[in-house]
Amino acid sequence: MNFGFSEDQLALAATVRDVLRTHCPPGSLRTERRPAWEQLAALGFFGLLLPEETDGLGLGLVDVLPALEETGRACLPGPVVETAVVAPGLLAEVPKLAAGAVCVGVLPPGQAYAADADLADLLVVVRDGRARVVPRQDVRLAPRRGVDPCRPLFEVAFSRSEPLAGPVAPVLARATVATAAQLVGVARELLAVTVGYARVRTQFGAPIGSFQAVKHQLADVAVAVEFAAPLVYRAALTVDAGSAERDASAAKAAAGEAATLAARVALQVHGAIGYTEELDLRFWLARAWSLSAAYGTTAAHRERLRTAITGRRP
C-alpha cells in the first residue's frame, strides 16, 4: 500500500499550515473562539469533501488528511471535524455549507456531552444508530466541565428535531479517522516543542536533552507518532472504500496513545510548568486529552480492534 501523498495533497496541507500560522497563533487561543475560520472558509476548506453538485470539490478523506493534521498541529478551536467531515456526509444539501457559513456540531453515540455545541448552527445527535439534526433555536445547552478550555462541553436538550436519511456509521468512521489525524498533528507539535525546550533548558551545566533519561522519553514519543501515522493513512484509504471500522479503531487507538504519551513526556520534560496558565503548551496538552476521548476512547477502540481480530466479544 502506497502511503505517499501527492503534490496536490501536500500543497493543500502547506496552504492550510500557512493560514493557521498567520491567523491562529497561540495567543489567539486565549482571546478568540474561532480564529482562522473565516480564512479557511475563504480557501474552500469546509467544502473539500462536499460533492461537486453542492459546490464542493468532491475530494476523498485521504486527500485532506495532511490538512486535518495541520489543524491539530495548530490546536485550531471549533468543531472542525464536525463541519468539514461529518456535515458533508449527512448534511450535504444544506445551503452555504461549502462556503463555511454553517457551523455543525455533533453529539456522537456513547458521549454525554457535545463539544463546541455553542458554535453550532446545526447540531447532529446520534442515538441508537440513527442521526437527527436540531437547529440552533431548538437546542438548550448547559455548560459542563471539561479539560480543554478551547473545546468546551455542553449537555444538550432539544424540543424538535428532524431525522437524517442514510447510514450514520460510515460518517462516524470518517470522523474517527479525521480526529485521529488531528491527534497525530497534536503529538507532532508537542514533540517539536519539547525537543526545542530540551535543547535550551540546562541543568548541571548541560542541556537536559543530552541526558539519556530525557532522550529515551522523546525517542519513545517519536516512535509512537511514526507508528500511528501510517495507521491513520491506511484508515483514510479504506474508509472511502467503505470497509474501515477495524482500521478506524486501530488508527484512533494508536493516535490517541501517541498524543497522550507526547503530552505526558512534554509535561515531565517541562518540569510540570505546562500546567501553568501563562504557558501556551497547556492548550496542546488539553487538546491531546480531549481528542483522545472524542469519538470513542482509546480503550474502547482497543476493545473493538481486539474483537475484530479475535472474533471474541468481552
Side-chain angles (χ1 to χ4, degrees), residues 241-259:
S243 58
E245 192 166 326
R246 169 175 157 172
D247 290 340
S249 286
K252 183 62 165 54
E257 289 177 350

Side-chain angles (χ1 to χ4, degrees), residues 89-90 129-131 164-171:
L90 293 175
R130 296 181 179 181
L164 292 172
V168 69
V171 178

Side-chain angles (χ1 to χ4, degrees), residues 107 114 117-118 123 134-144 154-160:
L107 180 56
D118 58 322
L123 183 67
V134 189
R136 178 199 293 264
Q137 62 269 22
D138 294 326
V139 176
R140 299 187 302 279
L141 301 176
R144 292 292 180 260
F154 296 89
E155 185 174 355
V156 174
F158 52 90
S159 54
R160 295 184 301 169

Side-chain angles (χ1 to χ4, degrees), residues 65-286:
L65 207 64
L68 287 168
E69 192 174 308
E70 292 298 332
T71 65
R73 191 158 194 157
C75 205
L76 179 66
V80 180
V81 167
E82 289 74 11
T83 304
V85 178
V86 175
L90 293 175
L91 302 166
E93 302 301 325
V94 172
K96 299 182 180 180
L97 196 62
V102 179
C103 190
V104 176
V106 175
L107 180 56
Q111 290 188 204
Y113 308 134
D116 297 313
D118 58 322
L119 299 175
D121 301 297
L122 297 172
L123 183 67
V124 175
V125 179
V126 183
R127 289 290 181 267
D128 301 323
R130 296 181 179 181
R132 308 184 71 83
V133 61
V134 189
R136 178 199 293 264
Q137 62 269 22
D138 294 326
V139 176
R140 299 187 302 279
L141 301 176
R144 292 292 180 260
R145 292 188 62 183
V147 297
D148 191 341
C150 296
R151 197 169 176 273
L153 301 177
F154 296 89
E155 185 174 355
V156 174
F158 52 90
S159 54
R160 295 184 301 169
S161 65
E162 294 183 11
L164 292 172
V168 69
V171 178
L172 292 176
R174 290 159 68 92
T176 301
V177 177
T179 304
Q182 288 187 309
L183 280 166
V184 170
V186 171
R188 290 193 195 280
E189 180 65 14
L190 283 169
L191 178 61
V193 170
T194 308
V195 168
Y197 181 78
R199 285 173 172 164
V200 299
R201 173 76 164 90
T202 59
Q203 190 68 283
F204 307 115
I208 62 173
S210 64
F211 302 146
Q212 286 293 329
V214 176
K215 285 182 180 179
H216 287 171
Q217 289 196 78
L218 294 172
D220 287 343
V221 174
V223 169
V225 174
E226 294 308 314
F227 174 76
L231 293 176
V232 179
Y233 304 158
R234 175 189 169 87
L237 286 170
T238 58
V239 77
D240 281 338
S243 58
E245 192 166 326
R246 169 175 157 172
D247 290 340
S249 286
K252 183 62 165 54
E257 289 177 350
T260 53
L261 176 63
R264 186 170 69 247
V265 170
L267 192 59
Q268 291 175 339
V269 172
H270 280 80
I273 61 174
Y275 271 129
T276 61
E277 185 75 18
E278 294 79 9
L279 198 66
D280 294 331
L281 182 69
R282 71 186 183 95
F283 292 113
W284 276 263
L285 297 176

